[in-house]
Amino acid sequence: MKHANWDDLRLLLLVAQEGTLRGAGRKAGLSPATLSRKLDDLEEALGQKLVERFQGGCVPTAFGADIIAWAGQMGEIALEIERTRDRQDAHGASGLVRINTDEWLSYFLTTRFARFHDAYPNVEVEIVTSHRPYSLTRREADIAVRPYRPEQLDLVTRRIGTLSFGLYGSRDLVRRHAADLAQQDWTRMPFVGFDEPRAEFQSDRWLRALPGAPAPWLRCSYGLGILDGVAHGAGLGVLATFLAADHEGIVPAIPRIPELDQEIWLSMHRGLRTTARVRAVVDFMEQAFAEYSETGR
């Protein structure tokens, strides 16, 4: 029996998690044919079949299930080694990290990064806010945080959380329209939304589809304009849920709108994934989204 390749064991874990060569290959940036060849190499090295491959997916053999369990433990150990290294590198990390993201996520990050500076005093963070995605391959930014998964195969991508939205108003406005809200009678409610060029945003389509609701009388070209209008009593508006925790005068009319949930994806160029300053920023953002998932803040 030959020595097993750790990279091939990782691919075996991915196949077990995804259940198909196509799904695992998509995550690994490999074609199903290439992934199948690597599984063949691993099976040859270990001397036994690991996965039965059917048209509908992949099923581990009994031997394969044992190997997958051991490989999972190896993965946890490898991750802990990386975390230990990262902790030791913390004060040695230095330089600039540029993050490209949209408006809501920019607000989410900028209101949380103060703690990061305490841990990594020599790392500078630049958050570039735009609806247009910057090119990571041309190094217009180091990291992108977006509500969709990029398609480029030369990028490292990972899902870091889910952003939720609700319908909010000022405390006084919600109190004055309590009866209408209880009956979901939207006909006499004032609304704040995006302007016409942005009326196709998912949140604005949802708002304009409320039965009997008038079109937003106050329209803005940017999300924080909607926040300002809502906070100052101009009407109800769709906002990211974390904003309510930061503004005591804003209360929910609908606390969460599940169909507006957005999966948040982080991506970066493969060449940057081992850079200390980039690892530090990525780990911090993952922790921030984990806390938001647990607490809503």
Side-chain angles (χ1 to χ4, degrees):
M1 185 176 70
K2 304 176 185 177
H3 289 294
N5 183 302
W6 169 235
D7 287 336
D8 289 344
L9 286 171
R10 286 185 178 184
L11 292 176
L12 175 64
L13 275 173
L14 201 54
V15 170
Q17 291 164 1
E18 294 297 312
T20 65
L21 290 176
R22 184 175 299 277
R26 189 184 304 115
K27 281 201 169 181
L30 300 172
S31 69
T34 299
L35 186 54
S36 183
R37 286 195 299 272
K38 288 186 175 294
L39 283 180
D40 289 340
D41 293 341
L42 183 59
E43 289 175 338
E44 182 181 353
L46 295 176
Q48 292 194 48
K49 195 165 189 63
L50 298 167
V51 176
E52 297 289 355
R53 300 167 221 180
F54 302 104
Q55 187 172 2
C58 298
V59 178
T61 64
F63 177 72
D66 289 340
I67 299 301
I68 289 166
W70 283 108
Q73 293 181 38
M74 291 169 63
E76 289 297 322
I77 293 170
L79 184 59
E80 191 55 41
I81 290 172
E82 290 181 5
R83 287 171 177 161
T84 301
R85 178 197 60 193
D86 290 345
R87 286 193 293 268
Q88 292 179 344
D89 285 348
H91 286 279
S94 63
L96 173 66
V97 178
R98 300 186 80 219
I99 305 168
N100 176 226
T101 190
D102 65 18
E103 196 171 7
W104 292 129
L105 293 170
S106 178
Y107 186 98
F108 179 88
L109 294 175
T110 54
T111 54
R112 285 158 176 77
F113 255 104
R115 289 182 293 135
F116 176 85
H117 186 62
D118 295 335
Y120 300 91
N122 298 316
V123 177
E124 299 175 18
V125 177
E126 187 174 302
I127 298 176
V128 185
T129 306
S130 74
H131 290 298
R132 176 186 72 85
Y134 278 37
S135 172
L136 300 182
T137 56
R138 294 198 300 270
R139 302 298 174 90
E140 292 180 341
D142 301 310
I143 299 170
V145 182
R146 292 283 173 181
Y148 51 81
R149 183 176 183 175
E151 297 296 330
Q152 298 97 312
L153 294 180
D154 57 343
L155 299 179
V156 177
T157 64
R158 65 183 73 171
R159 179 183 171 279
I160 60 172
T162 300
L163 193 64
S164 297
F165 293 82
L167 184 66
Y168 291 89
S170 69
R171 192 178 302 277
D172 179 64
L173 183 140
V174 169
R175 183 169 52 244
R176 284 189 286 113
H177 289 272
D180 292 331
L181 289 171
Q183 299 176 30
Q184 293 196 340
D185 180 1
W186 309 109
T187 56
R188 293 188 295 273
M189 300 294 300
F191 290 94
V192 182
F194 283 108
D195 60 4
E196 288 304 322
R198 293 157 186 80
E200 286 306 307
F201 283 7
Q202 187 181 13
S203 60
D204 226 54
R205 290 203 307 270
W206 180 91
L207 188 68
R208 293 168 187 255
L210 286 174
W217 77 271
L218 179 61
R219 296 180 289 275
C220 309
S221 62
Y222 60 106
L224 293 184
I226 296 176
L227 170 62
D228 291 338
V230 169
H232 290 84
L236 299 178
V238 176
L239 300 173
T241 56
F242 69 84
L243 292 166
D246 293 340
H247 295 79
E248 293 184 359
I250 293 177
V251 295
I254 300 177
R256 183 181 169 212
I257 307 165
E259 57 266 42
L260 295 185
D261 280 0
Q262 295 179 347
E263 288 192 342
I264 306 303
W265 290 83
L266 179 148
S267 56
M268 58 185 155
H269 196 275
R270 290 185 182 275
L272 292 175
R273 60 182 171 178
T274 58
T275 306
R277 67 181 185 278
V278 173
R279 286 203 315 270
V281 170
V282 168
D283 288 348
F284 181 82
M285 288 193 291
E286 287 184 328
Q287 180 61 35
F289 273 99
E291 292 173 1
Y292 168 58
S293 177
E294 292 174 4
T295 67
R297 302 178 67 91

